[in-house]
Amino acid sequence: MQTLVKIVDRFAQILMAISIVLAAVMMIHVTIDVLLSQFIAEPMPATVDLVSFYYMVGLVFLPLAFVETKNEHIDVDLIHAVLPQGGKKALDLMALTFSMIYFGLLTYQSGIDAIEKYQLGEYTMGLVNVTIWPGRFALPIGCGTLTLVLLLKLIRRPFTDEHMKSDPHHIPTEEGI
Amino acid sequence: MSFFQTGLTGIVVVILLVLLRVPIAVSLGLVSFVGFWFMLGSTAAWGLLTAVPYDFAAHWTLSSIPMFLLMGYVCYQTELTKGIFKAARAWLSFLPGGLAIASIFGAALFSAAAGSSLACAAAMGRIAVPEMLQRKYDPGLSASVVAAAGTMGSLIPPSIILILFGIFAEVGISKLFLGGIFPGILTMLGYSIVILIRCSINPKLAPPVEEKITNRDRFMALTETWPVILLIIGVFGGLFAGIFTPTEAGATGAAMSFIIGAANRKLNWKVARIALIDTAKTTAAIFIIAVGANLFTRFLAISGVPAAMSATVIEFGASYLILVLGTAIIFLLLGMILDPLGIMLLTLPILLPIFEASGISLIWFGLLVTKLVEMALITPPVGLNVFVIKGIVGDAIPISMIFKGVIWFLVADVFVLALMIAFPEIVLFLPELGQ
């Protein structure tokens, strides 16, 4: 069990690492595009397509599992905070189950869609044709890993709440991973 | 069960799940999926999951959110805030409560580089609160002023809340940003007046700063701030002049803040990595809720609940004022349990059609919503900005003392809100100027 948790957490970290590279590349790509179109009047090809269908999709779905390992998905603590241990456990089990179902559904459907678009070889038509189906796989990969993280948390929850502790969300961190 | 009843049930179930600590994103999404299945069958429900999440994320306009987040986090991590506060202090510390007023002006300036209230409160809190405590300022005042000042983060552009509102309401982001400028300045002045009055009546709250500050010091302090001011002018000048799209403004702003950080020798690999991690984490956490809200909007639209509600409101002849006050009450109630993003994304699917049908400017409505959710950031029991400051000051100041200090600033907020309602031009003047 411990090793399984470690493997999945590690994978979530790798997805997170990919996301931060995407964020950096997106910033650099768009900045260069701005400079080129202002000064040479020749923008980078396919900026809008790359930003929308690769960087954004990756940046939204790939960090999901990592955010869950840090318990930083946004929820409301009001009732949970005042309950005794048993009540806390019951609410946690319910929240984890519902979350797992929802992201399981998303994984399943987005996986089917991704494979379908891969078979079609989905691309956008513009000045240049951009193949965009690979970006689709960010959804099943991101949501699938998140579903796994949730499942492992659910299995452990009856015995301990060590893995449920959270820092307040979207406040700048001092330390990092 | 009719469509209408399914819609109403959906709203109740979402609220229930959220209260029971099911993540907001999951509550919204799961209820929408099940609701679609009830009303239109399984094909429609699966179709919803095919259409929304991918299309919502693969979105050019929304890509400005991670870029503005990055810009703010880089400014935060490379301690650009320190220079801002130092300059504000040099110019304002002669006033009664000068350091507190300086932290408000500093926060306002930082708000123009960062899109989130929490980041703004955290940034100012780290620098200004220790300084005020050292000068024997009242602890409640020191902590509460920074918690309140942080709320300008979402009013003063860039603003994550306003970008999301713009997407849901289909209003231009630049117009919303322009609309935020005057309410932001009013809030800044309102807070400053509160401090001036309180510290004039009771000088013990804020003993005057002893050290002599010469004009030379004042201009020296400015030299440290000019890169930030240049950054802000560059980003928003370009955006409002129509040279940049919001994404381009955010990306160049982020790149510029990296360069300024490097020039100040504050940039290293660790700092850059943390800023990028925070950007990715926050983007994912925000977007997954927004995806849920988008699913929920479609579910409610099919159920016909929002249409029926706006018809009722119009038939009832609800005046502008009643509508606005009703919204304010709903937001303040929700603000007791939810964070700003949650409040806005939960209520927009219902409120937007009502306001749209009543012919109220959606730009103005966007700023009203922003001001209200920002006030919720400092109202108990869930005042996230207060928690952020509490996290920074640790055991030095009890949380009840911070909430008590915040009440004064809420009074100023009510005045600003009243002005916005009485004179919508405060919001609409700048956005309409460009037309």
Side-chain angles (χ1 to χ4, degrees), chain B residues 57-338:
Chain B
H59 203 301
W60 170 247
T61 313
L62 279 178
S63 62
S64 56
I65 290 182
M67 292 296 97
F68 280 125
L69 283 172
L70 182 59
M71 177 172 149
Y73 286 135
V74 174
C75 287
Y76 176 87
Q77 294 292 354
T78 56
E79 296 181 358
L80 274 183
T81 11
K82 239 180 199 157
I84 296 177
F85 178 66
K86 233 163 125 184
R89 203 188 70 161
W91 285 86
L92 298 167
S93 61
F94 72 94
L95 292 167
L99 287 182
I101 296 179
S103 40
I104 288 176
F105 275 71
L109 201 57
F110 187 69
S111 299
S116 132
S117 296
L118 298 174
C120 191
M124 269 302 136
R126 272 207 309 184
I127 301 155
V129 177
E131 174 114 16
M132 281 188 273
L133 292 180
Q134 203 190 340
R135 308 271 173 183
K136 302 269 178 289
Y137 270 49
D138 176 67
L141 174 73
S142 312
S144 62
V145 68
V146 185
T151 67
M152 290 182 291
S154 293
L155 274 177
I156 296 175
S159 157
I160 307 303
I161 296 269
L162 282 177
I163 297 173
L164 279 169
F165 179 89
I167 297 297
F168 276 85
E170 294 172 15
V171 181
I173 311 290
S174 311
K175 287 207 166 131
L176 287 167
F177 279 6
L178 280 171
I181 293 178
F182 278 135
I185 292 175
L186 272 182
T187 306
M188 181 177 86
L189 294 178
Y191 289 170
S192 305
I193 292 170
V194 164
I195 294 170
L196 273 179
I197 295 175
R198 281 194 71 197
C199 295
S200 300
I201 294 174
N202 181 4
K204 269 191 219 143
L205 285 175
V209 178
E210 298 289 331
E211 68 188 281
K212 267 265 166 281
I213 296 168
T214 61
N215 276 338
R216 194 169 168 279
D217 295 333
R218 295 199 173 114
F219 285 102
M220 280 301 285
L222 274 191
T223 55
E224 276 182 55
T225 334
W226 71 263
V228 189
I229 294 174
L230 198 70
L231 167 78
I232 293 166
I233 293 175
V235 167
F236 293 105
L239 180 64
F240 295 142
I243 302 170
F244 292 155
T245 63
T247 306
E248 290 168 348
T252 39
M256 272 166 75
S257 43
F258 268 114
I259 293 169
I260 296 172
N264 289 345
R265 301 178 185 283
K266 295 284 189 204
L267 187 68
N268 53 46
W269 174 235
K270 185 182 165 225
V271 161
R273 203 183 63 138
I274 294 175
L276 284 165
I277 288 172
D278 280 339
T279 302
K281 277 201 304 198
T282 311
T283 305
I286 289 177
F287 271 76
I288 204 65
I289 295 184
V291 164
N294 200 309
L295 294 168
F296 197 59
T297 306
R298 285 162 198 248
F299 158 68
L300 283 185
I302 298 281
S303 77
V305 169
M309 276 185 162
S310 44
T312 317
V313 169
I314 289 166
E315 203 179 316
F316 182 66
S319 70
Y320 168 74
L321 202 62
I322 290 179
L323 213 54
V324 170
L325 288 181
T327 309
I329 290 168
I330 293 173
F331 274 51
L332 288 182
L333 287 177
L334 285 174
M336 291 179 177
I337 52 166
L338 276 169

Side-chain angles (χ1 to χ4, degrees), chain A residues 16 26 31 34 38 52-53 56 60 72 74 76-78 80 92 95 102 105 109 113 136 171-174, chain B residues 18 21 24 29 46 50 54 57-58 63 76-77 126 243-244 251 277-278 281-282 284 287 295 337-338 388:
Chain A
M16 185 63 185
M26 178 167 158
T31 307
V34 169
Q38 286 301 317
S52 310
F53 299 114
M56 273 309 281
V60 169
E72 285 182 31
I74 300 172
V76 172
D77 224 4
L78 195 67
H80 187 275
D92 283 347
Y102 176 58
L105 291 170
Q109 185 59 44
D113 294 337
R136 293 253 179 198
I171 294 158
T173 6
E174 306 291 338
Chain B
V18 167
R21 208 180 182 231
I24 300 174
W46 288 110
T50 296
Y54 178 78
S63 62
Y76 176 87
Q77 294 292 354
R126 272 207 309 184
I243 302 170
F244 292 155
I277 288 172
D278 280 339
K281 277 201 304 198
T282 311
F287 271 76
L295 294 168
I337 52 166
L338 276 169
V388 171

Side-chain angles (χ1 to χ4, degrees), chain A residues 4 8 30 43 52 65 67 101 105 108 123-124 128 134 141 166 173:
Chain A
L4 202 58
V8 175
V30 176
S52 310
V67 175
I101 293 173
L105 291 170
Y108 173 74
Y123 64 91
T124 57
V128 272
I141 293 171
S166 68
T173 6

